[in-house]
Amino acid sequence: MNGRDEVVVALDVGGTGMKCALVRPDGTTVHTERHATDAGRGPDAVVGTILDVAEGLAGTARAAGHTPVACGIAVPGVVDETRGAAVWSANVGFRDVPLRELAATRLGLPAALGHDVRVGGLAEARLGAGRDAGHVLFVAIGTGIAAAHVVDGSAATGAHGAAGEIGHILVRPDGPRCGCGRVGCLEAVASASAIGRRYTELAGAPATAAEVADRAAAGERLAGDVWREAVEALADGLATGQALFDVATVVLGGGLAQAGPRLFDPLRGALRERLTFHREPRLVAAALGDEAGCLGAALLALDTLAKESR
Ligand SMILES: [Zn+2]
């Protein structure tokens, strides 16, 4: 910071909407806006909207007296952060889109492309619920389950951009079929969608995961069984995560984490039962809400900038 009020143009692109922000290097947000992704239009149109929105944000920043210094974009799916390419995404339809280069060219700014859950984890580890720990596992539980392993403020991407797919750990070999095609993955049992689906199947009446949690807490037996099955599967997945990563803090985000103590209390107990010589991690709820993706995209862009100027 040298007197100029520097900001990063940040976009978190999801299947239905884009969260966008201008973020200062200290992680404070000076402006936010939202746009529809409208993925049904096809990937080219979505890329066009991303570039238009990013350019618009840079203009908004300049008009307000800020200096845009970089652009960070988060997308779902498989992301090759080294090449800056959105390799594959089921819900946005990307197939090998060189989004980083496209954004850098359009904005005339250094750009970074990150995976939505990995940058969310980056933000939680550096600015949110994991900020006092050097080793953090961020686990987002919503329609699917994905994780980010963050060590000293940097998220591991894997050799092919696919690190952190904790939702596809095998936990129930005779369990339900997963969206990936295999049987018994963690997210086929314990994602918010899986919990709702399982209850609906058994009860013959539709319910969301939040409603299952409410009914379980109110003493309904069927809901209690479904909830317990999901918590135990989650504990199996987290125990595997802890065996691999030995983190100090596990941050749970996504819709299911909003169940609060109904999730965290039994999950802590179930995880404790599964750990032998491994140290028990602190299990906490995410702190940044749905801003995490934008903040993380901004952090990734700032990291890229710092590396380039070295
Ligand atoms: Zn799977």
Side-chain angles (χ1 to χ4, degrees), residues 45-143:
V46 174
V47 169
T49 302
I50 290 171
L51 297 176
D52 290 347
V53 166
E55 194 174 31
L57 279 161
T60 301
R62 289 188 186 101
H66 308 297
T67 306
V69 291
C71 173
I73 301 173
V75 297
V78 177
V79 180
D80 184 335
E81 288 174 11
T82 312
R83 284 196 301 129
V87 177
W88 181 87
S89 152
N91 49 5
V92 189
F94 293 143
R95 297 287 181 275
D96 222 16
V97 179
L99 209 41
R100 181 180 64 198
E101 199 183 316
L102 291 171
T105 304
R106 173 74 81 90
L107 271 67
L109 294 173
L113 182 71
H115 177 263
D116 57 353
V117 174
R118 278 202 297 267
V119 299
L122 197 64
E124 285 291 345
R126 278 159 63 170
L127 306 168
R131 70 185 173 280
D132 299 323
H135 296 251
V136 175
L137 187 67
F138 170 69
V139 184
I141 311 171
T143 51

Side-chain angles (χ1 to χ4, degrees), residues 5 22 26-27 33 45 49 56 58 77 96 98 102 116 120 122 134 136 167 187 194 205 237 263-264 284 291:
D5 188 6
L22 295 172
D26 66 0
E33 53 188 63
T49 302
D96 222 16
L102 291 171
D116 57 353
L122 197 64
V136 175
E187 76 174 37
L263 175 66
F264 284 82
V284 296
E291 262 195 88

Side-chain angles (χ1 to χ4, degrees), residues 4 8-9 17 40 56 67 87 90 102 116 123 137 154 167 169 171 198 203 205 224 232 246 250-251 263 273 276 303:
R4 300 188 309 164
V8 177
V9 172
T67 306
V87 177
L102 291 171
D116 57 353
L137 187 67
S154 170
I169 287 179
V171 293
R198 177 74 176 146
E232 285 180 1
D246 180 31
V250 173
V251 179
L263 175 66
E273 280 170 15
T276 54
D303 290 351

Side-chain angles (χ1 to χ4, degrees), residues 176-205:
R177 189 167 295 277
C178 178
C180 76
R182 197 177 61 169
V183 159
C185 292
L186 175 59
E187 76 174 37
V189 182
S191 66
S193 337
I195 293 169
R197 204 160 48 230
R198 177 74 176 146
Y199 181 87
T200 301
E201 216 173 81
L202 295 174

Side-chain angles (χ1 to χ4, degrees), residues 170-246:
L170 180 65
V171 293
R172 298 289 177 269
D174 52 355
R177 189 167 295 277
C178 178
C180 76
R182 197 177 61 169
V183 159
C185 292
L186 175 59
E187 76 174 37
V189 182
S191 66
S193 337
I195 293 169
R197 204 160 48 230
R198 177 74 176 146
Y199 181 87
T200 301
E201 216 173 81
L202 295 174
T208 63
E211 287 162 349
V212 175
D214 287 345
R215 289 175 199 179
E220 191 199 297
R221 207 177 135 193
L222 180 60
D225 289 346
V226 170
W227 190 251
R228 195 162 38 251
E229 280 168 22
V231 165
E232 285 180 1
L234 271 178
D236 286 335
L238 293 183
T240 299
Q242 188 62 357
L244 290 172
F245 302 130
D246 180 31

